[in-house]
Amino acid sequence: MKVKEQLLTLSPYKPGKPIEEVKREFNLDRVVKLASNENPYGSSALVKEAIAAEIENMALYPDGYAAELRAAVAKHVGVEQDQLIFGNGSDEVIQIICRALLSADTNTVMPTPSFPQYKHNAVIEGAEIREVPLRGGDHDLDAMLRAIDENTTIVWVCSPNNPTGTYVKGDELISFMKQVPKHTLIVMDEAYFEYAADQADYPNTVEFLNEYENLIVLRTFSKAYGLASLRIGYGIANESLLQKIEPAREPFNTSRMAQKAAIVALEDQAFIEECKKKNEEGLQQYYAFCDKNGLNYYPSFTNFVLIDFGRQGDEVFQFLLQRGFIVRSGNALGFPTSVRITVGTKEQNEQIIELLQQFVNQAAAKA
Ligand SMILES: *Cc1c(COP(=O)(O)O)cnc(C)c1O
């Protein structure tokens, strides 16, 4: 059998070790996963009820147009209903965009290190990948502009960026967008929007849609809203663009449960505010630890922090794993001497910081 040649260069997504396996392997009763930027407080209490009620309709296909959710999101974001496209997670919106715009005779420009799905999907479509290294944890927008040519159909901006947690400031983004040619789609991935949006210089990207036909903004219910397992995210763009890419979307790509859950989750903004506040306090716990030990980190506008231990990330990862904490090693993220830790509850952060302190002390004693 002959599969697309480019697939042979890709490896399937490797999920971290399941919690149960880690418990068995290291004989632990408690294992905490702070590796995928999930919300440690779960989701709004309203969600459980909404899902329970929807169980009655399990045999019926979902509304492929997601009309009710569409109305709710349009109101929440402040756009028209036909300015939205929904996906099975924003991951799927990324895939839809790639299916619609990339082919072997096109190229796509992206920052690196950044969210791996841009490249993964672009490789599958056979497009040429142009990766532009970050500069000090931020997008090098000038270098990205220089990488764009007449065959560039997509340029990716991940803001705040995963795994650095930094965001592109409003004036820089405007100046960038002005220079991106009209034939190139700017994908603004705002998976961590809720955590960054209060910053005074964080751009109001939805407003830019009035002026830019070649912009799509991606948001998700997986992170701050705590609905990662339900797989629901969306894109915001102009109707003319969405009409063109909609045929690349499967007709029933989001489930009933996910649609209902997202609707009620949106209504509970008090939950989001509470999570944001606790997350900010959690970040401060990590910053205090880093400052005390002279460790470098990027100030984060997300629910994770990338800390440079000056040692192989895998080493820190393994140390924590044996003691019941799963994080992401920077070796897999393009920052080989760092680890990325999802901000947990206050207690989880305290526990992991205590272990990290032991690691730092041991490393210093050996040096
Ligand atoms: C988590 C994440 C996503 C994808 O989230 P979904 O669960 O697919 O909605 C997209 N972009 C970035 C940068 C992320 O970190």
Side-chain angles (χ1 to χ4, degrees), residues 36-38 87-94 114-118 157-163 189-192 218-223 227-234 302-304 340:
S36 303
N37 309 334
E38 292 140 330
N88 196 249
S90 50
D91 270 349
E92 198 205 11
V93 185
I94 293 170
S114 189
F115 190 59
Q117 290 305 305
Y118 315 143
V157 178
C158 186
S159 181
N161 186 46
N162 181 358
D189 183 351
E190 296 189 322
Y192 301 95
L218 307 187
R219 294 191 189 158
T220 181
F221 286 96
S222 297
K223 305 286 159 61
L227 300 180
S229 75
L230 290 172
R231 314 303 304 124
I232 183 102
Y234 56 98
T302 65
N303 63 341
F304 60 80
R340 191 193 69 194

mmCIF file of all heavy atoms in Angstrom, residues 36-38 87-94 114-118 157-163 189-192 218-223 227-234 302-304 340, ligand 1:
data_model
loop_
_atom_site.group_PDB
_atom_site.id
_atom_site.type_symbol
_atom_site.label_atom_id
_atom_site.label_comp_id
_atom_site.label_asym_id
_atom_site.label_seq_id
_atom_site.Cartn_x
_atom_site.Cartn_y
_atom_site.Cartn_z
ATOM 1 N N SER A 36 -0.805 19.277 30.160
ATOM 2 C CA SER A 36 -1.556 19.605 28.947
ATOM 3 C C SER A 36 -2.359 20.893 29.053
ATOM 4 O O SER A 36 -3.260 21.136 28.244
ATOM 5 C CB SER A 36 -2.487 18.450 28.569
ATOM 6 O OG SER A 36 -1.737 17.269 28.411
ATOM 7 N N ASN A 37 -2.037 21.706 30.054
ATOM 8 C CA ASN A 37 -2.668 23.025 30.214
ATOM 9 C C ASN A 37 -4.188 22.942 30.369
ATOM 10 O O ASN A 37 -4.924 23.816 29.924
ATOM 11 C CB ASN A 37 -2.276 23.952 29.056
ATOM 12 C CG ASN A 37 -0.773 23.973 28.864
ATOM 13 O OD1 ASN A 37 -0.027 23.728 29.820
ATOM 14 N ND2 ASN A 37 -0.311 24.261 27.667
ATOM 15 N N GLU A 38 -4.608 21.852 31.010
ATOM 16 C CA GLU A 38 -6.019 21.718 31.356
ATOM 17 C C GLU A 38 -6.311 22.591 32.573
ATOM 18 O O GLU A 38 -5.399 22.970 33.304
ATOM 19 C CB GLU A 38 -6.326 20.239 31.669
ATOM 20 C CG GLU A 38 -6.215 19.363 30.422
ATOM 21 C CD GLU A 38 -5.570 18.018 30.691
ATOM 22 O OE1 GLU A 38 -4.721 17.938 31.606
ATOM 23 O OE2 GLU A 38 -5.906 17.051 29.973
ATOM 24 N N GLY A 87 -15.270 23.741 15.481
ATOM 25 C CA GLY A 87 -14.463 22.549 15.231
ATOM 26 C C GLY A 87 -14.408 21.632 16.427
ATOM 27 O O GLY A 87 -14.744 22.021 17.551
ATOM 28 N N ASN A 88 -14.000 20.404 16.167
ATOM 29 C CA ASN A 88 -13.793 19.393 17.189
ATOM 30 C C ASN A 88 -12.476 19.752 17.897
ATOM 31 O O ASN A 88 -11.428 19.176 17.664
ATOM 32 C CB ASN A 88 -13.695 18.028 16.482
ATOM 33 C CG ASN A 88 -13.862 16.878 17.425
ATOM 34 O OD1 ASN A 88 -12.932 16.130 17.696
ATOM 35 N ND2 ASN A 88 -15.050 16.722 17.945
ATOM 36 N N GLY A 89 -12.562 20.777 18.737
ATOM 37 C CA GLY A 89 -11.372 21.422 19.260
ATOM 38 C C GLY A 89 -10.868 22.412 18.229
ATOM 39 O O GLY A 89 -11.200 22.305 17.038
ATOM 40 N N SER A 90 -10.105 23.425 18.666
ATOM 41 C CA SER A 90 -9.548 24.325 17.647
ATOM 42 C C SER A 90 -8.526 23.578 16.804
ATOM 43 O O SER A 90 -8.212 23.979 15.688
ATOM 44 C CB SER A 90 -8.968 25.608 18.263
ATOM 45 O OG SER A 90 -8.101 25.334 19.311
ATOM 46 N N ASP A 91 -8.024 22.454 17.327
ATOM 47 C CA ASP A 91 -7.189 21.572 16.506
ATOM 48 C C ASP A 91 -7.857 21.273 15.163
ATOM 49 O O ASP A 91 -7.206 21.267 14.128
ATOM 50 C CB ASP A 91 -6.999 20.219 17.215
ATOM 51 C CG ASP A 91 -5.776 20.191 18.117
ATOM 52 O OD1 ASP A 91 -4.960 21.124 18.050
ATOM 53 O OD2 ASP A 91 -5.649 19.230 18.893
ATOM 54 N N GLU A 92 -9.153 20.988 15.217
ATOM 55 C CA GLU A 92 -9.807 20.650 13.958
ATOM 56 C C GLU A 92 -9.960 21.875 13.064
ATOM 57 O O GLU A 92 -9.914 21.760 11.830
ATOM 58 C CB GLU A 92 -11.182 19.996 14.180
ATOM 59 C CG GLU A 92 -11.613 19.276 12.906
ATOM 60 C CD GLU A 92 -13.109 19.109 12.740
ATOM 61 O OE1 GLU A 92 -13.894 19.725 13.492
ATOM 62 O OE2 GLU A 92 -13.513 18.379 11.837
ATOM 63 N N VAL A 93 -10.132 23.043 13.660
ATOM 64 C CA VAL A 93 -10.217 24.246 12.818
ATOM 65 C C VAL A 93 -8.869 24.454 12.107
ATOM 66 O O VAL A 93 -8.829 24.824 10.928
ATOM 67 C CB VAL A 93 -10.630 25.486 13.638
ATOM 68 C CG1 VAL A 93 -10.825 26.682 12.708
ATOM 69 C CG2 VAL A 93 -11.911 25.223 14.429
ATOM 70 N N ILE A 94 -7.786 24.163 12.818
ATOM 71 C CA ILE A 94 -6.452 24.235 12.190
ATOM 72 C C ILE A 94 -6.390 23.274 11.000
ATOM 73 O O ILE A 94 -5.936 23.627 9.910
ATOM 74 C CB ILE A 94 -5.350 23.903 13.230
ATOM 75 C CG1 ILE A 94 -5.280 24.994 14.304
ATOM 76 C CG2 ILE A 94 -3.993 23.699 12.542
ATOM 77 C CD1 ILE A 94 -4.401 24.660 15.501
ATOM 78 N N SER A 114 6.646 26.464 18.532
ATOM 79 C CA SER A 114 5.274 26.897 18.746
ATOM 80 C C SER A 114 4.389 25.660 18.766
ATOM 81 O O SER A 114 4.884 24.542 18.931
ATOM 82 C CB SER A 114 4.861 27.887 17.657
ATOM 83 O OG SER A 114 3.608 28.467 17.958
ATOM 84 N N PHE A 115 3.106 25.853 18.583
ATOM 85 C CA PHE A 115 2.159 24.739 18.659
ATOM 86 C C PHE A 115 2.390 23.789 17.479
ATOM 87 O O PHE A 115 2.341 24.218 16.325
ATOM 88 C CB PHE A 115 0.740 25.307 18.649
ATOM 89 C CG PHE A 115 -0.318 24.301 18.963
ATOM 90 C CD1 PHE A 115 -0.304 23.606 20.162
ATOM 91 C CD2 PHE A 115 -1.343 24.057 18.061
ATOM 92 C CE1 PHE A 115 -1.289 22.679 20.458
ATOM 93 C CE2 PHE A 115 -2.336 23.136 18.355
ATOM 94 C CZ PHE A 115 -2.307 22.439 19.560
ATOM 95 N N PRO A 116 2.645 22.496 17.736
ATOM 96 C CA PRO A 116 3.105 21.596 16.668
ATOM 97 C C PRO A 116 2.079 21.280 15.582
ATOM 98 O O PRO A 116 2.455 20.821 14.503
ATOM 99 C CB PRO A 116 3.483 20.312 17.422
ATOM 100 C CG PRO A 116 3.028 20.459 18.816
ATOM 101 C CD PRO A 116 2.661 21.881 19.069
ATOM 102 N N GLN A 117 0.798 21.531 15.852
ATOM 103 C CA GLN A 117 -0.207 21.116 14.874
ATOM 104 C C GLN A 117 -0.185 21.930 13.571
ATOM 105 O O GLN A 117 -0.688 21.465 12.546
ATOM 106 C CB GLN A 117 -1.608 21.145 15.491
ATOM 107 C CG GLN A 117 -1.833 20.049 16.524
ATOM 108 C CD GLN A 117 -1.560 18.656 15.972
ATOM 109 O OE1 GLN A 117 -2.120 18.252 14.960
ATOM 110 N NE2 GLN A 117 -0.664 17.926 16.622
ATOM 111 N N TYR A 118 0.374 23.140 13.609
ATOM 112 C CA TYR A 118 0.453 23.918 12.355
ATOM 113 C C TYR A 118 1.321 23.159 11.360
ATOM 114 O O TYR A 118 0.947 22.920 10.210
ATOM 115 C CB TYR A 118 1.070 25.309 12.572
ATOM 116 C CG TYR A 118 0.570 26.069 13.768
ATOM 117 C CD1 TYR A 118 1.428 26.868 14.530
ATOM 118 C CD2 TYR A 118 -0.769 26.012 14.145
ATOM 119 C CE1 TYR A 118 0.973 27.574 15.629
ATOM 120 C CE2 TYR A 118 -1.228 26.708 15.244
ATOM 121 C CZ TYR A 118 -0.351 27.484 15.988
ATOM 122 O OH TYR A 118 -0.794 28.174 17.084
ATOM 123 N N VAL A 157 0.192 32.860 13.733
ATOM 124 C CA VAL A 157 0.614 33.646 14.890
ATOM 125 C C VAL A 157 -0.036 32.994 16.114
ATOM 126 O O VAL A 157 -1.262 32.855 16.157
ATOM 127 C CB VAL A 157 0.177 35.124 14.775
ATOM 128 C CG1 VAL A 157 0.591 35.902 16.019
ATOM 129 C CG2 VAL A 157 0.766 35.762 13.522
ATOM 130 N N CYS A 158 0.768 32.551 17.057
ATOM 131 C CA CYS A 158 0.252 31.877 18.249
ATOM 132 C C CYS A 158 0.432 32.837 19.422
ATOM 133 O O CYS A 158 1.548 33.074 19.872
ATOM 134 C CB CYS A 158 1.034 30.589 18.482
ATOM 135 S SG CYS A 158 0.360 29.580 19.834
ATOM 136 N N SER A 159 -0.684 33.420 19.878
ATOM 137 C CA SER A 159 -0.562 34.508 20.848
ATOM 138 C C SER A 159 -1.682 34.443 21.872
ATOM 139 O O SER A 159 -2.842 34.653 21.515
ATOM 140 C CB SER A 159 -0.589 35.842 20.091
ATOM 141 O OG SER A 159 -0.453 36.919 20.984
ATOM 142 N N PRO A 160 -1.345 34.152 23.133
ATOM 143 C CA PRO A 160 -0.020 33.817 23.658
ATOM 144 C C PRO A 160 0.524 32.519 23.053
ATOM 145 O O PRO A 160 -0.247 31.618 22.736
ATOM 146 C CB PRO A 160 -0.254 33.630 25.162
ATOM 147 C CG PRO A 160 -1.510 34.369 25.461
ATOM 148 C CD PRO A 160 -2.344 34.273 24.229
ATOM 149 N N ASN A 161 1.854 32.507 22.945
ATOM 150 C CA ASN A 161 2.503 31.369 22.291
ATOM 151 C C ASN A 161 2.667 30.185 23.244
ATOM 152 O O ASN A 161 3.059 30.359 24.390
ATOM 153 C CB ASN A 161 3.882 31.811 21.781
ATOM 154 C CG ASN A 161 4.563 30.734 20.952
ATOM 155 O OD1 ASN A 161 3.937 30.122 20.082
ATOM 156 N ND2 ASN A 161 5.834 30.480 21.218
ATOM 157 N N ASN A 162 2.362 29.014 22.725
ATOM 158 C CA ASN A 162 2.653 27.779 23.424
ATOM 159 C C ASN A 162 3.933 27.242 22.794
ATOM 160 O O ASN A 162 3.941 27.052 21.588
ATOM 161 C CB ASN A 162 1.482 26.804 23.200
ATOM 162 C CG ASN A 162 1.653 25.485 23.908
ATOM 163 O OD1 ASN A 162 2.668 25.244 24.547
ATOM 164 N ND2 ASN A 162 0.667 24.614 23.785
ATOM 165 N N PRO A 163 5.043 27.060 23.498
ATOM 166 C CA PRO A 163 5.201 26.885 24.943
ATOM 167 C C PRO A 163 5.823 28.064 25.708
ATOM 168 O O PRO A 163 6.191 27.873 26.866
ATOM 169 C CB PRO A 163 6.168 25.700 25.010
ATOM 170 C CG PRO A 163 7.131 25.967 23.885
ATOM 171 C CD PRO A 163 6.299 26.638 22.815
ATOM 172 N N ASP A 189 -3.901 32.255 16.565
ATOM 173 C CA ASP A 189 -4.337 31.197 17.489
ATOM 174 C C ASP A 189 -4.336 31.757 18.912
ATOM 175 O O ASP A 189 -3.291 31.983 19.509
ATOM 176 C CB ASP A 189 -3.397 29.993 17.361
ATOM 177 C CG ASP A 189 -3.827 28.816 18.238
ATOM 178 O OD1 ASP A 189 -4.747 28.982 19.063
ATOM 179 O OD2 ASP A 189 -3.229 27.733 18.092
ATOM 180 N N GLU A 190 -5.551 31.956 19.442
ATOM 181 C CA GLU A 190 -5.699 32.526 20.786
ATOM 182 C C GLU A 190 -6.258 31.500 21.775
ATOM 183 O O GLU A 190 -7.229 31.772 22.481
ATOM 184 C CB GLU A 190 -6.611 33.757 20.734
ATOM 185 C CG GLU A 190 -6.040 34.897 19.905
ATOM 186 C CD GLU A 190 -6.837 36.197 20.025
ATOM 187 O OE1 GLU A 190 -8.093 36.125 20.094
ATOM 188 O OE2 GLU A 190 -6.222 37.271 20.058
ATOM 189 N N ALA A 191 -5.628 30.335 21.823
ATOM 190 C CA ALA A 191 -6.111 29.274 22.724
ATOM 191 C C ALA A 191 -6.098 29.723 24.191
ATOM 192 O O ALA A 191 -6.885 29.248 24.996
ATOM 193 C CB ALA A 191 -5.270 28.011 22.553
ATOM 194 N N TYR A 192 -5.217 30.667 24.504
ATOM 195 C CA TYR A 192 -5.089 31.146 25.903
ATOM 196 C C TYR A 192 -5.620 32.564 26.069
ATOM 197 O O TYR A 192 -5.242 33.274 27.000
ATOM 198 C CB TYR A 192 -3.619 31.029 26.359
ATOM 199 C CG TYR A 192 -3.152 29.605 26.267
ATOM 200 C CD1 TYR A 192 -2.473 29.144 25.132
ATOM 201 C CD2 TYR A 192 -3.454 28.694 27.271
ATOM 202 C CE1 TYR A 192 -2.103 27.819 25.013
ATOM 203 C CE2 TYR A 192 -3.087 27.365 27.165
ATOM 204 C CZ TYR A 192 -2.406 26.939 26.032
ATOM 205 O OH TYR A 192 -2.054 25.618 25.922
ATOM 206 N N LEU A 218 -8.586 32.060 16.270
ATOM 207 C CA LEU A 218 -9.014 30.770 16.828
ATOM 208 C C LEU A 218 -9.105 30.837 18.343
ATOM 209 O O LEU A 218 -8.197 31.338 18.999
ATOM 210 C CB LEU A 218 -8.016 29.658 16.457
ATOM 211 C CG LEU A 218 -7.654 29.481 15.001
ATOM 212 C CD1 LEU A 218 -6.799 28.221 14.837
ATOM 213 C CD2 LEU A 218 -8.893 29.404 14.129
ATOM 214 N N ARG A 219 -10.205 30.341 18.877
ATOM 215 C CA ARG A 219 -10.357 30.235 20.326
ATOM 216 C C ARG A 219 -10.908 28.864 20.685
ATOM 217 O O ARG A 219 -11.397 28.141 19.818
ATOM 218 C CB ARG A 219 -11.253 31.355 20.863
ATOM 219 C CG ARG A 219 -10.574 32.707 20.681
ATOM 220 C CD ARG A 219 -11.246 33.815 21.410
ATOM 221 N NE ARG A 219 -10.668 35.086 21.001
ATOM 222 C CZ ARG A 219 -11.270 36.261 21.104
ATOM 223 N NH1 ARG A 219 -12.485 36.322 21.608
ATOM 224 N NH2 ARG A 219 -10.659 37.361 20.716
ATOM 225 N N THR A 220 -10.826 28.521 21.956
ATOM 226 C CA THR A 220 -11.205 27.162 22.352
ATOM 227 C C THR A 220 -11.883 27.129 23.711
ATOM 228 O O THR A 220 -11.683 28.030 24.533
ATOM 229 C CB THR A 220 -9.957 26.250 22.375
ATOM 230 O OG1 THR A 220 -10.361 24.931 22.742
ATOM 231 C CG2 THR A 220 -8.907 26.734 23.368
ATOM 232 N N PHE A 221 -12.659 26.075 23.924
ATOM 233 C CA PHE A 221 -13.253 25.818 25.245
ATOM 234 C C PHE A 221 -12.394 24.839 26.051
ATOM 235 O O PHE A 221 -12.786 24.428 27.135
ATOM 236 C CB PHE A 221 -14.672 25.264 25.078
ATOM 237 C CG PHE A 221 -15.678 26.305 24.659
ATOM 238 C CD1 PHE A 221 -16.014 26.479 23.320
ATOM 239 C CD2 PHE A 221 -16.269 27.134 25.608
ATOM 240 C CE1 PHE A 221 -16.932 27.449 22.938
ATOM 241 C CE2 PHE A 221 -17.184 28.101 25.230
ATOM 242 C CZ PHE A 221 -17.515 28.269 23.895
ATOM 243 N N SER A 222 -11.239 24.456 25.507
ATOM 244 C CA SER A 222 -10.435 23.413 26.158
ATOM 245 C C SER A 222 -9.609 23.909 27.325
ATOM 246 O O SER A 222 -9.252 23.132 28.197
ATOM 247 C CB SER A 222 -9.471 22.784 25.150
ATOM 248 O OG SER A 222 -10.165 22.150 24.126
ATOM 249 N N LYS A 223 -9.233 25.163 27.330
ATOM 250 C CA LYS A 223 -8.266 25.630 28.318
ATOM 251 C C LYS A 223 -8.988 26.302 29.491
ATOM 252 O O LYS A 223 -9.396 25.625 30.404
ATOM 253 C CB LYS A 223 -7.227 26.527 27.637
ATOM 254 C CG LYS A 223 -6.528 25.837 26.440
ATOM 255 C CD LYS A 223 -5.523 24.789 26.858
ATOM 256 C CE LYS A 223 -5.162 23.746 25.799
ATOM 257 N NZ LYS A 223 -4.549 24.204 24.576
ATOM 258 N N LEU A 227 -13.114 22.377 29.172
ATOM 259 C CA LEU A 227 -13.903 21.367 28.463
ATOM 260 C C LEU A 227 -13.059 20.558 27.468
ATOM 261 O O LEU A 227 -13.556 20.113 26.436
ATOM 262 C CB LEU A 227 -15.070 22.041 27.717
ATOM 263 C CG LEU A 227 -16.077 22.828 28.561
ATOM 264 C CD1 LEU A 227 -17.166 23.432 27.662
ATOM 265 C CD2 LEU A 227 -16.716 21.932 29.613
ATOM 266 N N ALA A 228 -11.796 20.341 27.813
ATOM 267 C CA ALA A 228 -10.881 19.710 26.846
ATOM 268 C C ALA A 228 -11.403 18.378 26.318
ATOM 269 O O ALA A 228 -11.258 18.074 25.137
ATOM 270 C CB ALA A 228 -9.497 19.525 27.470
ATOM 271 N N SER A 229 -12.039 17.587 27.171
ATOM 272 C CA SER A 229 -12.447 16.247 26.725
ATOM 273 C C SER A 229 -13.590 16.304 25.721
ATOM 274 O O SER A 229 -13.795 15.365 24.959
ATOM 275 C CB SER A 229 -12.873 15.392 27.913
ATOM 276 O OG SER A 229 -14.152 15.801 28.364
ATOM 277 N N LEU A 230 -14.342 17.397 25.711
ATOM 278 C CA LEU A 230 -15.509 17.462 24.822
ATOM 279 C C LEU A 230 -15.147 17.886 23.408
ATOM 280 O O LEU A 230 -15.936 17.718 22.485
ATOM 281 C CB LEU A 230 -16.558 18.407 25.405
ATOM 282 C CG LEU A 230 -17.251 17.867 26.658
ATOM 283 C CD1 LEU A 230 -18.123 18.928 27.274
ATOM 284 C CD2 LEU A 230 -18.071 16.630 26.323
ATOM 285 N N ARG A 231 -13.955 18.440 23.237
ATOM 286 C CA ARG A 231 -13.446 18.844 21.925
ATOM 287 C C ARG A 231 -14.346 19.882 21.259
ATOM 288 O O ARG A 231 -15.181 19.563 20.410
ATOM 289 C CB ARG A 231 -13.272 17.623 20.979
ATOM 290 C CG ARG A 231 -12.600 16.421 21.572
ATOM 291 C CD ARG A 231 -11.213 16.721 22.125
ATOM 292 N NE ARG A 231 -10.320 17.302 21.135
ATOM 293 C CZ ARG A 231 -9.693 18.470 21.306
ATOM 294 N NH1 ARG A 231 -9.868 19.197 22.388
ATOM 295 N NH2 ARG A 231 -8.883 18.910 20.392
ATOM 296 N N ILE A 232 -14.190 21.125 21.663
ATOM 297 C CA ILE A 232 -14.953 22.183 20.997
ATOM 298 C C ILE A 232 -14.143 23.484 20.985
ATOM 299 O O ILE A 232 -13.663 23.948 22.004
ATOM 300 C CB ILE A 232 -16.359 22.358 21.641
ATOM 301 C CG1 ILE A 232 -17.179 23.408 20.908
ATOM 302 C CG2 ILE A 232 -16.325 22.656 23.127
ATOM 303 C CD1 ILE A 232 -18.194 22.873 19.986
ATOM 304 N N GLY A 233 -13.977 24.010 19.787
ATOM 305 C CA GLY A 233 -13.259 25.257 19.592
ATOM 306 C C GLY A 233 -13.869 25.960 18.390
ATOM 307 O O GLY A 233 -14.763 25.423 17.741
ATOM 308 N N TYR A 234 -13.400 27.180 18.089
ATOM 309 C CA TYR A 234 -14.001 27.879 16.955
ATOM 310 C C TYR A 234 -13.042 28.877 16.325
ATOM 311 O O TYR A 234 -12.039 29.268 16.918
ATOM 312 C CB TYR A 234 -15.300 28.576 17.368
ATOM 313 C CG TYR A 234 -15.180 29.543 18.526
ATOM 314 C CD1 TYR A 234 -15.058 30.913 18.314
ATOM 315 C CD2 TYR A 234 -15.201 29.081 19.842
ATOM 316 C CE1 TYR A 234 -14.966 31.801 19.382
ATOM 317 C CE2 TYR A 234 -15.106 29.962 20.912
ATOM 318 C CZ TYR A 234 -14.995 31.317 20.674
ATOM 319 O OH TYR A 234 -14.888 32.188 21.735
ATOM 320 N N THR A 302 -0.607 32.819 30.268
ATOM 321 C CA THR A 302 -1.364 31.588 30.020
ATOM 322 C C THR A 302 -1.519 30.867 31.352
ATOM 323 O O THR A 302 -1.218 31.432 32.399
ATOM 324 C CB THR A 302 -0.575 30.665 29.075
ATOM 325 O OG1 THR A 302 0.622 30.262 29.758
ATOM 326 C CG2 THR A 302 -0.198 31.361 27.786
ATOM 327 N N ASN A 303 -1.921 29.592 31.291
ATOM 328 C CA ASN A 303 -1.976 28.787 32.506
ATOM 329 C C ASN A 303 -0.826 27.777 32.555
ATOM 330 O O ASN A 303 -0.977 26.679 33.077
ATOM 331 C CB ASN A 303 -3.330 28.069 32.635
ATOM 332 C CG ASN A 303 -3.562 27.088 31.501
ATOM 333 O OD1 ASN A 303 -2.913 27.163 30.451
ATOM 334 N ND2 ASN A 303 -4.474 26.151 31.702
ATOM 335 N N PHE A 304 0.310 28.156 31.964
ATOM 336 C CA PHE A 304 1.516 27.320 32.088
ATOM 337 C C PHE A 304 2.727 28.229 32.168
ATOM 338 O O PHE A 304 2.639 29.430 31.872
ATOM 339 C CB PHE A 304 1.645 26.352 30.904
ATOM 340 C CG PHE A 304 1.738 27.051 29.564
ATOM 341 C CD1 PHE A 304 2.933 27.595 29.112
ATOM 342 C CD2 PHE A 304 0.616 27.176 28.750
ATOM 343 C CE1 PHE A 304 3.019 28.249 27.875
ATOM 344 C CE2 PHE A 304 0.691 27.824 27.520
ATOM 345 C CZ PHE A 304 1.890 28.356 27.098
ATOM 346 N N ARG A 340 7.911 22.611 30.793
ATOM 347 C CA ARG A 340 6.679 23.398 30.790
ATOM 348 C C ARG A 340 5.725 22.791 31.811
ATOM 349 O O ARG A 340 5.422 21.595 31.739
ATOM 350 C CB ARG A 340 6.034 23.373 29.405
ATOM 351 C CG ARG A 340 4.881 24.396 29.247
ATOM 352 C CD ARG A 340 4.063 24.150 28.011
ATOM 353 N NE ARG A 340 3.306 22.914 28.137
ATOM 354 C CZ ARG A 340 2.694 22.290 27.131
ATOM 355 N NH1 ARG A 340 2.763 22.785 25.915
ATOM 356 N NH2 ARG A 340 2.029 21.170 27.331
HETATM 357 C C1 LIG B 1 -4.344 23.589 23.393
HETATM 358 C C2 LIG B 1 -4.050 24.385 22.196
HETATM 359 C C3 LIG B 1 -4.854 24.313 21.044
HETATM 360 C C4 LIG B 1 -5.883 23.279 20.792
HETATM 361 O O1 LIG B 1 -6.891 23.173 21.641
HETATM 362 P P1 LIG B 1 -8.174 22.312 21.297
HETATM 363 O O2 LIG B 1 -8.327 21.435 22.486
HETATM 364 O O3 LIG B 1 -7.958 21.536 20.047
HETATM 365 O O4 LIG B 1 -9.239 23.332 21.149
HETATM 366 C C5 LIG B 1 -4.579 25.141 19.981
HETATM 367 N N1 LIG B 1 -3.554 25.995 20.029
HETATM 368 C C6 LIG B 1 -2.754 26.078 21.106
HETATM 369 C C7 LIG B 1 -1.635 27.032 21.084
HETATM 370 C C8 LIG B 1 -2.967 25.264 22.218
HETATM 371 O O5 LIG B 1 -2.121 25.322 23.239
#
